[in-house]
Amino acid sequence: MGRPIKDVVIVGGGSAGWIAAGTIAAAHRTEDTSGIRVTLVESPNVPIIGVGEGTWPTMRNTLRKMGISETDFIRECNATFKQGARFAKWVTGAADDAYYHPLMLPQGFLQGNLVRHWQADDQGLSFSAAVCPQDHICDRSLAPKQITTPEYAGVLNYAYHLDAGKFADFVRKHCVDKLGVRHVLADVTGVVAADDGDIAAVETDQAGRITGDLFVDCTGFRSLLLGGHYGVGFKPCIDTLFIDTALAVQVPYRDENEQIASQTISTGQSAGWIWDIGLSNRRGIGHVYSSAHTDEEKAAEELGAYISQYGGDLGKLGYRKIPINPGHREKFWERNCVAVGLSAGFLEPLEASALVLIELSSGMIAEQMPVSREAMDVVAKRFNAKFRYRWDRIIDFLKLHYILSRRDDEAFWRDNKDPATIPDSLKELMTLWQYQPPWHDDFVQKDEVFPAASYQYVLYGMGFETQQSHLGSSSAANAFAQAQFAENRKITNQMLNNLPDHRSLISKIHQHGLQRI
Amino acid sequence: MPRFEILTSEQHPDITVAERYGADCGNDVHMIPVVVTELAPLVAHYPVVIGKDGETGGFMLAAVTGVVEGENLFLDGQQWRAAYQPLHAQRGPFAVQETGDPDNPSLLVRIDLDDPRVSGDGGERLFDESANQTDYMRRKNAILATIVDGMGKTDAFLTACSELDLIEPVQLQLSFKDQSNIRFDGLYSINQEKLAALTGDALEKFHAAGHLRSAHFLTGSIAQIQNLVMRKNARL
């Protein structure tokens, strides 16, 4: 059977460490001590990165499975609801240039593809507005549910915006108090190798040697175990996605009743873009840019101009500069060590993929937790294949946003369309989509990171045109499509009349909480 | 539109209130909030369900008086055809406002001056010649006090049920003699298996607080749905 796996040691805290700890501990709880033991060792001195604040709808399940109350999470992490992303100035750069990538699937998505019907007659609506109510909901800053909706349920599909620092503290407390996770505050000074090449233990300053059977590397960009100790190579993708620096700032609201945005806002700049996330007490804003195309001074100027619309003064608020090395490790699981979070890789936060990769990694580790050391090699191989595929698809999807842009005002935008910078996999899909709209079978995995719907929203939101088919469409298909458009109009009106505004709902949740059922 | 003012003998010495019901008095509603303290007389006539307060999302109890919005199957002109009416209906055009120390508030009575029962025909006086409260006013005060006390007890009951994970969502589907169907969403009830599985300390505390009795009353009231359907069928 091989050596049984009993002790999981997570090195590093932050969102990665604590989501991994909570997910694994919750999945493997036992009444007695016969289950997996989870230990998280983190440095009291090394700060967390503290800027990842956008999530996907998967986070609702992740928190629920840990036994966390959505009410507690919203109250303690200044969390708000995210219903998608609004991309401004990505296509032409004009003042009114904006489109939505909403979180809901297009109406009737499991039964039929509405793209061709929308292209034939858009009835004056953008693609997303024709097939989904969230454009209108987000335009009016409405919430995706009501105070009477139970925890984790939504009237419309939603994810969260959260305070990264508070989130790590919040999940840590839950893991330690409710899930039996052992928390060790200590600086790791070395890695102890076993005879067979596995990691036997980590040496620490304050807590001595900590042994384990499986080590989870959540040490951030340093990748202390996977990159540092095992020397697993890093595959940069700066030739595809040029962004390599972030300037981050927190901007307060002008008053406590200022409306909270219902979506992440991404606004194109001269050599990058600015993220804008609304929490309950402040905004988290950052300018990500390519240092090959602009410099810090100019980037800071653009950031300052952006936040001035909210009454923010960058001179007074200051900003944090965070260098980004876009790319990922060649492998993520080496021997008895698996990397989760920044230690596995990082790409620009264009579609908030970092936290969901942490959730997916933690989920697979928990679900496939090898019972013995022998089984682990098989799991590791499958993990590596699966996540290598996922990183490639994320790179494709992010690059898609750039190649569809018609901006040519700056070298950054022009250079992004150079075919030499476009992955072959994406080129192939673009060829396919010239003739037929994205559909389920374009993507092979059972649980793709981005469903075909996401590609539809970005393609047609950015004005891409799929050629008319000589095949035409049947009257049944036409009737189906018109029924879906009509249903969407009906649902949109219902939602506009029944959903509260975002700020009001968040205030009510702080005051009254949400019921569990 | 309601126009509530704090009721005083100085401001309203000659005010009268007619004791009646009617659609013009806002009685044409299909759900009416109720309190646990009135469950015994209530369940002889009405199905009582758990719902959610639209403002706070908190649980509340309601008697079901109709099957569509704006319909009260017990209302017949100015009469309410049942031996017992929920306290919220009995209070008429009166309401309370809590004032003073939040931990020990005193209650001020308010009256809706725009209610058609106020200062209309056939009214009862609220204050006598010496500006003292009449018996009628005192009866109304007692109803208001019972409601306030009942609301606290209702919260305690529903909180206890929620903490013991006894509350579950239900769907009510009713069919009528003209083949029509109606579905009620957003309602909850007590899960019988979980209630029956309560043991030891939890059961003792639940029973000692009077909640076991309330839970059984609620469950028993579901049978009243058939009577509601009969009343509706009689109108079809």
Side-chain angles (χ1 to χ4, degrees):
Chain A
M1 130 126 156
R3 194 177 81 227
I5 303 303
K6 182 87 180 145
D7 283 297
V8 175
V9 176
I10 297 168
V11 182
S15 297
W18 289 112
I19 288 178
T23 302
I24 294 168
H28 291 274
R29 303 204 66 179
T30 50
E31 292 304 318
D32 54 26
T33 54
S34 63
I36 298 281
R37 280 196 302 250
V38 179
T39 301
L40 188 149
V41 51
E42 68 173 328
S43 163
N45 302 307
V46 176
I48 62 170
I49 197 95
V51 283
E53 307 196 313
T55 71
W56 287 27
T58 47
M59 186 59 79
R60 288 151 67 189
N61 234 10
T62 297
L63 297 177
R64 196 178 47 79
K65 280 187 177 161
M66 284 194 233
I68 286 173
S69 140
E70 190 180 48
T71 300
D72 291 344
F73 162 67
I74 289 172
R75 284 172 169 164
E76 298 187 36
C77 301
N78 296 328
T80 58
F81 299 115
K82 163 187 158 178
Q83 294 186 62
R86 184 168 185 269
F87 294 96
K89 303 193 180 168
W90 272 80
V91 185
T92 63
D96 64 351
D97 166 18
Y99 75 95
Y100 280 102
H101 172 191
L103 287 177
M104 296 199 62
L105 291 179
Q107 189 64 38
F109 196 66
L110 296 176
Q111 297 133 296
N113 193 340
L114 296 178
V115 172
R116 289 208 187 281
H117 302 276
W118 170 77
Q119 284 192 149
D121 174 14
D122 65 16
Q123 306 185 3
L125 295 171
S126 68
F127 176 69
S128 52
V131 303
C132 158
Q134 281 175 317
D135 279 36
H136 286 106
I137 300 310
C138 290
D139 279 346
R140 299 253 290 265
S141 297
L142 299 183
K145 61 181 186 170
Q146 300 163 311
I147 192 69
T148 49
T149 315
E151 288 195 328
Y152 295 120
V155 175
L156 300 178
N157 196 16
Y158 68 88
Y160 306 108
H161 288 137
L162 50 81
D163 181 309
K166 297 206 159 133
F167 182 61
D169 285 341
F170 174 75
V171 182
R172 170 177 49 77
K173 267 185 65 196
H174 182 82
C175 285
V176 170
D177 293 346
K178 303 271 166 60
L179 296 177
V181 173
R182 182 167 74 114
H183 184 211
V184 177
L185 267 176
D187 288 294
V188 170
T189 52
V191 178
V192 179
D195 289 337
D196 62 3
D198 277 4
I199 295 178
V202 288
E203 286 286 8
T204 71
D205 232 341
Q206 301 89 329
R209 180 174 288 204
I210 300 176
T211 56
D213 301 311
L214 172 65
F215 288 82
V216 186
D217 183 344
C218 296
T219 59
F221 287 132
R222 293 159 71 221
S223 196
L224 196 67
L225 306 183
L226 191 81
H229 175 74
Y230 276 125
V232 170
F234 184 82
K235 188 169 185 293
C237 70
I238 194 151
D239 292 337
T240 303
L241 295 168
F242 307 153
I243 282 179
D244 64 359
T245 313
L247 304 181
V249 60
Q250 296 182 353
V251 182
Y253 288 112
R254 278 161 288 203
D255 71 75
E256 60 184 10
N257 292 317
E258 195 171 330
Q259 191 49 259
I260 305 171
S262 300
Q263 74 288 332
T264 309
I265 307 168
S266 159
T267 307
Q269 302 299 309
S270 59
W273 55 275
I274 288 177
W275 86 70
D276 179 350
I277 280 177
L279 304 183
S280 56
N281 62 323
R282 61 150 175 91
R283 289 182 167 94
I285 299 180
H287 186 183
V288 283
Y289 63 92
S290 158
S291 65
H293 292 87
T294 190
D295 56 44
E296 184 179 335
E297 200 185 321
K298 187 143 188 291
E301 244 178 69
E302 288 183 313
L303 180 60
Y306 183 90
I307 70 169
S308 66
Q309 73 176 295
Y310 299 132
D313 179 341
L314 195 62
K316 292 212 181 94
L317 293 169
Y319 58 79
R320 271 177 64 201
K321 182 172 172 182
I322 303 165
I324 295 169
N325 193 3
H328 57 80
R329 295 282 156 186
E330 304 267 5
K331 292 198 281 184
F332 313 102
W333 197 321
E334 177 71 21
R335 301 205 60 95
N336 66 335
C337 168
V338 57
V340 173
L342 297 175
S343 52
F346 183 65
L347 302 170
E348 62 191 84
L350 189 56
E351 289 277 2
S353 42
L355 285 171
V356 72
L357 277 171
I358 290 171
E359 295 174 69
L360 291 170
S361 308
S362 303
M364 186 167 175
I365 295 166
E367 187 199 306
Q368 303 265 310
M369 180 63 69
V371 169
S372 72
R373 183 60 186 83
E374 237 175 16
M376 190 182 293
D377 287 338
V378 180
V379 175
K381 192 163 162 219
R382 292 151 66 86
F383 187 98
N384 285 329
K386 187 163 222 169
F387 281 87
R388 190 52 195 263
Y389 175 86
R390 284 172 165 164
W391 279 96
D392 286 345
R393 296 291 74 71
I394 295 173
I395 291 167
D396 280 352
F397 188 60
L398 298 192
K399 185 66 174 176
L400 180 69
H401 294 63
Y402 290 100
I403 67 178
L404 291 172
S405 173
R406 296 199 284 275
R407 284 182 69 157
D408 63 0
D409 47 303
E410 299 277 350
F412 173 82
W413 296 97
R414 289 192 298 269
D415 291 351
N416 251 306
K417 299 221 276 277
D418 179 353
T421 68
I422 305 174
D424 285 339
S425 44
L426 180 59
K427 280 181 178 148
E428 213 173 83
L429 285 168
M430 291 300 287
T431 305
L432 181 68
W433 293 334
Q434 254 197 307
Y435 302 103
Q436 50 207 66
W439 202 219
H440 303 299
D441 285 339
D442 297 352
F443 306 98
V444 297
Q445 275 197 3
K446 179 172 66 86
D447 41 5
E448 289 282 343
V449 180
F450 294 106
S454 286
Y455 290 85
Q456 289 189 352
Y457 284 130
V458 174
L459 275 173
Y460 303 110
M462 293 188 77
F464 182 78
E465 276 178 32
T466 295
Q467 289 181 20
Q468 289 270 43
S469 160
H470 67 283
L471 296 171
S473 61
S474 68
S475 54
N478 288 337
F480 167 80
Q482 293 313 313
Q484 300 315 306
F485 292 135
E487 182 67 14
N488 186 52
R489 282 194 295 273
K490 183 168 146 222
I491 293 174
T492 301
N493 277 327
Q494 264 173 8
M495 295 299 124
L496 288 174
N497 287 326
N498 288 310
L499 291 173
D501 72 84
H502 197 185
R503 169 65 72 187
S504 297
L505 181 64
I506 293 295
S507 300
K508 274 196 184 170
I509 293 173
H510 279 259
Q511 196 184 358
H512 303 292
L514 289 164
Q515 298 295 334
R516 247 182 328 105
I517 53 127
Chain B
M1 288 298 311
R3 186 168 55 101
F4 278 96
E5 272 187 25
I6 295 180
L7 180 67
T8 68
S9 55
E10 295 84 24
Q11 298 276 68
H12 315 101
D14 297 315
I15 199 169
T16 63
V17 173
E19 182 64 20
R20 67 171 178 84
Y21 294 98
D24 62 338
C25 312
N27 292 134
D28 50 346
V29 288
H30 73 301
M31 300 252 265
I32 185 163
V34 299
V35 293
V36 281
T37 36
E38 59 178 326
L39 279 177
L42 261 182
V43 302
H45 307 277
Y46 312 94
V48 180
V49 293
I50 300 173
K52 277 190 180 170
D53 181 315
E55 274 305 305
T56 65
F59 290 114
M60 39 83 79
L61 289 181
V64 185
T65 49
V67 300
V68 289
E69 270 198 46
E71 167 192 79
N72 182 343
L73 295 167
F74 296 81
L75 197 60
D76 178 9
Q78 295 191 350
Q79 308 269 39
W80 186 301
R81 301 251 179 243
Y84 180 82
Q85 303 89 38
L87 288 170
H88 271 290
Q90 288 187 46
R91 71 178 160 87
F94 299 93
V96 276
Q97 184 177 305
E98 291 187 326
T99 188
D101 177 6
D103 292 321
N104 194 13
S106 44
L107 303 176
L108 289 178
V109 176
R110 296 157 85 219
I111 187 165
D112 177 9
L113 296 174
D114 282 350
D115 189 297
R117 291 169 287 195
V118 176
S119 295
D121 299 329
E124 301 265 356
R125 288 194 64 154
L126 303 185
F127 302 105
D128 65 20
E129 306 302 325
S130 325
N132 293 319
Q133 293 187 343
T134 57
D135 280 344
Y136 180 77
M137 184 70 241
R138 276 195 282 272
R139 280 203 301 279
K140 289 299 180 192
N141 280 341
I143 288 170
L144 292 171
T146 309
I147 291 175
V148 172
D149 172 69
M151 279 169 66
K153 294 192 163 101
T154 306
D155 279 344
F157 166 65
L158 292 169
T159 302
C161 291
S162 174
E163 281 171 0
L164 288 170
D165 196 29
L166 296 176
I167 302 181
E168 62 178 359
V170 279
Q171 248 184 40
L172 220 49
Q173 181 131 337
L174 307 181
S175 312
F176 304 100
K177 77 174 189 206
D178 66 351
Q179 316 303 330
S180 64
N181 285 316
I182 284 192
R183 217 184 69 183
F184 280 71
D185 287 319
L187 298 184
Y188 300 81
S189 71
I190 306 280
N191 179 303
Q192 293 308 301
E193 284 83 28
K194 289 186 181 167
L195 183 63
L198 284 183
T199 57
D201 268 355
L203 177 60
E204 245 188 78
K205 277 181 63 183
F206 196 69
H207 170 54
H211 301 326
L212 191 60
R213 176 179 180 271
S214 302
H216 285 310
F217 268 132
L218 274 189
T219 308
S221 80
I222 298 305
Q224 291 296 342
I225 289 177
Q226 286 318 306
N227 286 333
L228 208 62
V229 171
M230 268 171 54
R231 280 180 188 255
K232 178 69 177 180
N233 282 337
R235 291 195 183 188
L236 289 174

